[in-house]
Amino acid sequence: MTNIVGYARESTLDQAHNGFNMDDQVRRITEFCEFEYGQEPYELSIRREEGRSGKNLERPEIQKILQQAESHAIDIVVVYCLDRLTRSLTDLYE
Protein backbone atom coordinates (compact mmCIF):
# COMPACT_ATOMS: atom_id res chain seq x y z
CA MET A 1 0.00 0.00 0.00
CA THR A 2 1.23 3.48 -0.86
CA ASN A 3 1.25 5.93 2.06
CA ILE A 4 0.51 9.47 0.93
CA VAL A 5 0.46 12.68 2.95
CA GLY A 6 -1.34 15.72 1.60
CA TYR A 7 -0.15 19.04 2.95
CA ALA A 8 -2.36 22.13 2.95
CA ARG A 9 -1.29 25.53 4.26
CA GLU A 10 -2.93 28.92 4.37
CA SER A 11 -1.09 31.77 5.98
CA THR A 12 -3.58 34.64 5.73
CA LEU A 13 -7.29 35.33 5.46
CA ASP A 14 -6.58 36.93 2.09
CA GLN A 15 -5.30 33.60 0.79
CA ALA A 16 -8.36 31.88 2.18
CA HIS A 17 -10.55 34.14 0.03
CA ASN A 18 -8.38 34.16 -3.10
CA GLY A 19 -8.02 30.55 -4.17
CA PHE A 20 -5.72 28.99 -1.59
CA ASN A 21 -8.31 28.23 1.05
CA MET A 22 -7.79 25.10 3.07
CA ASP A 23 -10.89 23.22 1.92
CA ASP A 24 -10.09 23.84 -1.74
CA GLN A 25 -6.52 22.63 -1.30
CA VAL A 26 -7.68 19.46 0.47
CA ARG A 27 -10.30 18.80 -2.22
CA ARG A 28 -7.75 19.20 -5.02
CA ILE A 29 -5.20 17.00 -3.27
CA THR A 30 -7.83 14.31 -2.72
CA GLU A 31 -9.01 14.47 -6.33
CA PHE A 32 -5.44 14.26 -7.61
CA CYS A 33 -4.72 11.18 -5.50
CA GLU A 34 -7.93 9.49 -6.64
CA PHE A 35 -7.01 10.18 -10.27
CA GLU A 36 -3.31 9.33 -10.02
CA TYR A 37 -3.36 6.42 -7.54
CA GLY A 38 -6.97 5.20 -7.62
CA GLN A 39 -6.07 1.98 -9.42
CA GLU A 40 -3.87 0.78 -6.56
CA PRO A 41 -4.38 0.68 -2.80
CA TYR A 42 -3.26 3.84 -1.03
CA GLU A 43 -3.81 5.60 2.24
CA LEU A 44 -4.11 9.39 2.22
CA SER A 45 -3.74 11.50 5.34
CA ILE A 46 -4.03 15.27 5.25
CA ARG A 47 -1.91 17.65 7.30
CA ARG A 48 -3.21 21.20 7.68
CA GLU A 49 -1.37 24.28 8.81
CA GLU A 50 -3.17 27.59 9.29
CA GLY A 51 -1.59 30.97 9.90
CA ARG A 52 1.93 29.81 8.99
CA SER A 53 4.21 31.47 6.47
CA GLY A 54 5.96 29.46 3.77
CA LYS A 55 9.20 31.44 4.13
CA ASN A 56 10.92 28.50 5.85
CA LEU A 57 10.29 24.98 7.12
CA GLU A 58 9.90 26.02 10.76
CA ARG A 59 6.33 24.74 10.92
CA PRO A 60 5.16 21.87 13.15
CA GLU A 61 3.24 19.87 10.54
CA ILE A 62 5.88 20.11 7.84
CA GLN A 63 8.50 19.01 10.36
CA LYS A 64 6.40 15.92 11.13
CA ILE A 65 6.15 15.18 7.41
CA LEU A 66 9.92 15.53 6.97
CA GLN A 67 10.53 13.16 9.88
CA GLN A 68 8.12 10.62 8.39
CA ALA A 69 9.81 10.90 5.00
CA GLU A 70 13.28 10.42 6.51
CA SER A 71 12.11 7.28 8.32
CA HIS A 72 10.38 6.00 5.15
CA ALA A 73 6.98 5.98 6.89
CA ILE A 74 5.46 7.78 3.89
CA ASP A 75 5.99 7.32 0.18
CA ILE A 76 4.59 10.49 -1.36
CA VAL A 77 3.85 14.07 -0.31
CA VAL A 78 1.20 15.93 -2.33
CA VAL A 79 0.62 19.69 -2.24
CA TYR A 80 -1.77 21.87 -4.21
CA CYS A 81 1.16 23.94 -5.49
CA LEU A 82 4.80 24.22 -4.44
CA ASP A 83 4.45 27.55 -2.65
CA ARG A 84 2.13 25.85 -0.16
CA LEU A 85 5.11 23.69 0.81
CA THR A 86 7.79 26.40 0.78
CA ARG A 87 8.77 29.58 -1.00
CA SER A 88 12.47 28.88 -0.57
CA LEU A 89 14.31 26.99 -3.32
CA THR A 90 16.92 25.89 -0.78
CA ASP A 91 14.23 24.37 1.46
CA LEU A 92 12.60 22.72 -1.55
CA TYR A 93 15.92 21.16 -2.54
CA GLU A 94 16.42 19.76 0.97
Side-chain angles (χ1 to χ4, degrees), residues 2-5 64-65 67-76:
T2 303
N3 291 314
I4 304 171
V5 172
K64 290 175 188 174
I65 290 171
Q67 290 170 356
Q68 285 183 297
E70 287 176 10
S71 69
H72 304 283
I74 57 175
D75 302 303
I76 298 168

Side-chain angles (χ1 to χ4, degrees), residues 48-80:
R48 299 169 177 247
E49 219 143 29
E50 296 180 42
R52 299 287 184 158
S53 170
K55 67 182 177 183
N56 60 44
L57 297 175
E58 301 299 319
R59 291 170 269 145
E61 292 303 318
I62 201 66
Q63 287 299 311
K64 290 175 188 174
I65 290 171
L66 292 172
Q67 290 170 356
Q68 285 183 297
E70 287 176 10
S71 69
H72 304 283
I74 57 175
D75 302 303
I76 298 168
V77 177
V78 177
V79 292
Y80 168 67

Side-chain angles (χ1 to χ4, degrees), residues 7-10 15 19-30 46 79-81 84:
Y7 178 74
R9 177 183 67 81
E10 85 187 5
Q15 286 179 345
F20 288 112
N21 73 63
M22 193 72 70
D23 291 336
D24 191 42
Q25 290 178 59
V26 170
R27 180 182 56 79
R28 289 176 185 224
I29 289 167
T30 302
I46 301 289
V79 292
Y80 168 67
C81 61
R84 300 297 84 205

Side-chain angles (χ1 to χ4, degrees), residues 54-57 82-83 85-94:
K55 67 182 177 183
N56 60 44
L57 297 175
L82 286 178
D83 72 348
L85 183 62
T86 184
R87 292 190 322 262
S88 163
L89 289 176
T90 302
D91 288 344
L92 181 60
Y93 176 75
E94 288 179 19

